[in-house]
Amino acid sequence: MKTLDIYVNKVVPLKFRGQEMSFELSHALFSSFDIDQGSRLLLKAVAGAVDPVAVGSIIDIGSGTGVLGVACARGYPGSTLHMRDRDALACLFSARNAKRNKVSPAAVAHALFLDGLADAGFDLVLCNIPAKAGTPVLDRYLRELPRIVSDRGYGAIVVVEPIAEASLASLRGSGAEIMVSEATKGHTAVVFRRGTAWHPPVDAGSGAADPLAVYVRSTQSLRAGKVQYRLDGIWGLPEFDTPSFSSELAMDLAENAMAGSLVRRAAFVNPGVGRVACHVKARAKGAVIDLCGRDALALASNAHNLSFSEPGGSAAGLVCAFPDELPEASYDLFVESPDVVPGVDTIESSWNTAVRILKRGGSFLAAMSSAAMDRFEKRKPKGFVRIASRKKKGNVCTAWRLD
């Protein structure tokens, strides 16, 4: 990512424990016009319940623009700060807002929930719980969260009202000691201690061998021509049971684009749950599939689903967050579902990526709404020839060849 400036929507002030701060917000991330009320409620609960002397290390899980972690790092001077988010753009904004407020994080990780943390002990664990992550995922996460709280430390979460009761039940089931539970009309904030810290049994589907196991929502057996392949639907991602119209169109056009050509290497940007990537892999056996996208869950889902085509290993090649990390002139096929962010023009970036990474004679497939495609194709640079286009229910996918 060369610049974040185009993603900045506005700057808002915040005061926590006497510290004046300001944060850049983005249309592309949660709460783009103001610091959300849940985060404000959580900071209030933390300020009232947490012993400042106990806070030497902080982790903000699902950090977004960095509000919770940076505010607490400023409010508890001398503490070290770790931040993580499944969205790579959120990680960049977290780091940017930390620098803006004169905080130097020890780490900003592009990662899922507790992956890689094991039994690490932090004195203050913060999370604005994502309501749409899925019931089994949230239950497992909240039962495991106290494990990373130090013996002297505190955990602090905020949840929206519809999942508050279930979230509290999961947290209590972990053995955590609830210290404070503060509710408003829309949110509940909870501050807790480690307590007995539940450990998942390794023989009860904990997902120790496959970290993505808890996310699996459905399993399907699909076909690409005469080839049968497996695809797992994932909690927290769309298309867990049926493909979207865009994916249907992209799979159809991929067949057209690959006809008569040898696809040795393909790149997928914003690949979703992996429907199109797995379809192409089934049709182009031996092809290297590279994955690119901001969402760590989508990248993990694709690697998980592609691994079924190569028993014993992942069929995914390079995995990266942003298209500028993809190698030049390397791909026979490039498939993208472009990010549509209000106020941000990503069309030029998509075409520049296609020009840069495709081999001569390679194909570029893009799927989006019909209105967006009209604008997209008007910006098509020289050298691209339309192969085919398909429409369905307001969605369109078009394929071009780079001559």
Side-chain angles (χ1 to χ4, degrees):
M1 176 65 67
K2 295 179 180 178
T3 178
L4 290 181
D5 292 343
I6 61 172
Y7 287 95
V8 176
N9 179 36
K10 64 185 300 186
V11 178
V12 298
L14 178 70
K15 186 174 183 178
F16 178 68
R17 288 181 52 81
Q19 299 291 316
E20 301 281 354
M21 291 162 277
S22 64
F23 291 86
E24 292 181 336
L25 306 181
S26 170
H27 277 304
L29 299 170
F30 171 68
S31 196
S32 59
F33 288 95
D34 196 5
I35 294 170
D36 69 290
Q37 293 303 307
S39 292
R40 293 184 185 276
L41 179 64
L42 182 59
L43 289 173
K44 177 187 173 187
V46 167
V50 170
D51 178 4
V53 177
V55 182
S57 60
I58 301 168
I59 186 167
D60 182 358
I61 301 174
S63 57
T65 53
V67 170
L68 296 178
V70 172
C72 288
R74 284 287 303 274
Y76 300 103
S79 57
T80 59
L81 173 63
H82 293 249
M83 296 188 284
R84 57 172 41 208
D85 201 288
R86 71 182 248 190
D87 188 329
L89 184 64
C91 293
L92 295 180
F93 265 90
S94 289
R96 181 176 171 118
N97 278 320
K99 182 177 181 180
R100 178 184 185 88
N101 289 288
K102 298 180 173 55
V103 171
S104 298
V108 181
H110 183 210
L112 298 177
F113 284 146
L114 303 179
D115 282 3
L117 294 179
D119 292 304
F122 295 93
D123 300 325
L124 182 56
V125 176
L126 304 162
C127 187
N128 190 334
I129 301 293
K132 297 181 180 180
T135 300
V137 176
L138 290 180
D139 177 65
R140 187 52 173 269
Y141 171 59
L142 288 168
R143 287 175 179 271
E144 293 191 14
L145 187 62
R147 292 169 54 197
I148 68 166
V149 178
S150 69
D151 289 337
R152 70 175 187 177
Y154 302 80
I157 65 168
V158 63
V159 296
V160 293
E161 188 277 332
I163 64 168
E165 184 177 346
S167 297
L168 278 167
S170 296
L171 197 57
R172 290 191 180 98
S174 74
E177 176 190 351
I178 307 295
M179 296 183 61
V180 172
S181 178
E182 185 173 347
T184 63
K185 185 177 180 179
H187 298 84
T188 297
V190 181
V191 179
F192 60 91
R193 304 297 293 269
R194 178 184 176 95
T196 56
W198 178 78
H199 284 253
V202 295
D203 60 346
S206 67
D210 181 1
L212 208 66
V214 70
Y215 291 89
V216 174
R217 184 173 183 174
S218 63
T219 297
Q220 300 169 56
S221 180
L222 304 172
R223 283 191 173 277
K226 296 181 179 180
V227 180
Q228 189 169 357
Y229 63 98
R230 170 181 164 180
L231 186 133
D232 285 346
I234 300 296
W235 284 102
L237 292 176
E239 301 186 280
F240 60 87
D241 54 355
T242 56
S244 66
F245 294 137
S246 289
S247 289
E248 287 182 352
L249 294 170
M251 288 186 282
D252 183 32
L253 250 64
E255 297 275 357
N256 191 304
M258 290 189 294
S261 64
L262 180 61
V263 175
R264 297 183 178 88
R265 191 174 186 182
F268 292 81
V269 173
N270 304 324
V273 73
R275 287 188 176 275
V276 184
C278 288
H279 184 92
V280 168
K281 179 63 179 178
R283 296 294 278 161
K285 285 293 185 183
V288 175
I289 304 294
D290 291 351
L291 306 169
C292 177
R294 289 165 34 189
D295 188 349
L297 181 58
L299 296 178
S301 170
N302 277 259
H304 169 86
N305 281 320
L306 285 166
S307 70
F308 300 132
S309 66
E310 291 187 8
S314 172
L318 172 67
V319 179
C320 60
F322 299 107
D324 53 13
E325 301 172 69
L326 296 170
E328 295 184 9
S330 299
Y331 298 99
D332 305 295
L333 179 66
F334 168 36
V335 181
E336 181 181 23
S337 296
D339 274 327
V340 178
V341 178
V344 179
D345 183 359
T346 59
I347 295 176
E348 183 177 2
S349 175
S350 292
W351 282 116
N352 287 344
T353 296
V355 169
R356 188 179 65 81
I357 72 172
L358 278 174
K359 299 175 183 176
R360 290 292 172 184
S363 299
F364 174 33
L365 273 69
M368 62 196 77
S369 71
S370 298
M373 182 61 78
D374 290 340
R375 297 190 297 272
F376 194 84
E377 193 153 21
K378 287 178 181 177
R379 305 272 289 277
K380 176 173 63 69
K382 293 181 179 179
F384 283 92
V385 177
R386 182 195 279 208
I387 301 172
S389 187
R390 302 281 190 277
K391 294 182 179 181
K392 187 173 184 179
K393 302 288 187 179
N395 297 271
V396 60
C397 182
T398 302
W400 304 270
R401 184 178 62 250
L402 178 62
D403 285 343

